[in-house]
Amino acid sequence: MNKIICLESVDSTNAYLRRSADELPHGTVVLADAQTAGRGRLGRSFASLAGKGIYLSVLLRPDCDPVRCASLTPAAAVAVCRAVKRICGVEPEIKWVNDLFLGGKKICGILCESEVSEGRLSYVVVGIGLNVSELREDFPPELRETAGSLYTETGAAPERGRLALAIVEELEKLYALWLSDESACLADYRRLCRVPGKRVRIITPSAETEALAEGISDDFGLCVLYDNGERKTLHSGEISIRI
């Protein structure tokens, strides 16, 4: 990663990079102290309080099939887990496909967005939002039972700059491996994923169904067994799940 842009406030670090992608080099990192319109998957908002969390995005330009970039989301999840363990001594779990949990509370979300032109990949933006020093009362009332931070779950908050640097370093290492081996982090992802073995509710725009999560496929899909005996592998763009 060769260029770091630090901002006091921005609508979202992902949006900033997408607006500026044509002028910025591969590996550019954007860090913001606060986001006014942080986003997660499926258009959900992501609370981004000033001075509380790590809000960063990285611009990548892999020369590969656009479909392959779906595996960058699990790679980023593993990279954040490694960084948190390295700096904080605790290891989060992953909720398929892009959320990190600690002590049963969501502490991090990851959003990868790509741009494709004439069938070729132009760039990928990897966005990471990690709750660091938020208190329980900092979260909206409707999220206080499900959201947490490194501070609420461990009683300590690391220095944000040090942890952000560790995240970028771990992501850079995994990205280098991913370029030659898409499954470079598959074993770690399977070990860290908290979903297999649990009943899940699968939510699509048209229906909600329940199934047993059986495992993670070689392409990072979620293998499920429906009550009628049907087995299927789900992929991140299709569904949302609840445990």
Side-chain angles (χ1 to χ4, degrees):
M1 311 301 174
N2 54 17
K3 182 181 179 69
I4 298 178
I5 300 170
C6 296
L7 304 171
E8 183 176 344
S9 181
V10 70
D11 51 355
S12 87
T13 54
N14 267 33
Y16 180 97
L17 278 180
R18 297 195 71 180
R19 287 192 298 266
S20 310
D22 290 344
E23 291 81 42
L24 294 172
H26 164 83
T28 298
V29 178
V30 173
L31 276 163
D33 194 53
Q35 295 182 123
T36 59
R39 294 176 298 114
R41 284 184 64 241
L42 306 178
R44 299 187 185 100
S45 62
F46 185 90
S48 311
L49 300 177
K52 295 285 189 176
I54 291 173
Y55 319 116
L56 71 82
S57 296
V58 182
L59 178 66
L60 302 174
R61 300 186 187 277
D63 182 13
C64 68
D65 186 321
V67 175
R68 187 178 174 215
C69 287
S71 60
L72 276 174
T73 297
V78 171
V80 177
C81 287
R82 290 179 179 178
V84 171
K85 184 177 181 180
R86 180 173 132 196
I87 301 300
C88 306
V90 294
E91 190 171 49
E93 296 178 311
I94 299 169
K95 176 189 170 189
W96 186 86
V97 61
N98 66 322
D99 292 335
L100 270 58
F101 278 66
L102 193 62
K105 301 292 182 67
K106 178 181 173 179
I107 63 165
C108 179
I110 295 166
L111 176 64
C112 291
E113 298 180 291
S114 60
E115 180 70 24
V116 178
S117 177
E118 297 180 351
R120 292 189 61 82
L121 184 68
S122 300
Y123 63 80
V124 182
V125 173
V126 180
I128 295 166
L130 174 62
N131 299 333
V132 177
S133 60
E134 288 89 344
L135 305 176
R136 187 176 184 275
E137 54 266 30
D138 288 328
F139 297 108
E142 65 272 18
L143 296 181
R144 288 175 186 170
E145 298 306 314
T146 57
S149 68
L150 290 171
Y151 180 79
T152 62
E153 302 314 303
T154 69
E159 197 277 313
R160 287 186 299 149
R162 182 171 173 237
L163 181 53
L165 177 60
I167 290 171
V168 172
E169 290 173 344
E170 295 294 342
L171 182 59
E172 186 174 28
K173 291 176 191 174
L174 263 182
Y175 177 71
L177 293 172
W178 176 88
L179 286 173
S180 58
D181 181 6
E182 187 178 358
S183 63
C185 69
L186 180 60
D188 269 356
Y189 191 87
R190 283 173 167 159
R191 178 179 63 83
L192 293 167
C193 189
R194 67 192 292 254
V195 177
K198 295 183 170 64
R199 296 277 300 178
V200 297
R201 180 171 293 275
I202 300 161
I203 304 165
T204 68
S206 59
E208 292 190 18
T209 54
E210 290 192 356
L212 174 67
E214 293 191 305
I216 302 297
S217 67
D218 289 348
D219 63 351
F220 297 95
L222 182 65
C223 304
V224 299
L225 172 64
Y226 289 97
D227 293 343
N228 64 3
E230 178 188 6
R231 283 188 165 87
K232 188 174 181 181
T233 299
L234 308 174
H235 293 90
S236 58
E238 303 171 355
I239 58 98
S240 178
I241 66 166
R242 294 178 188 155
I243 298 177

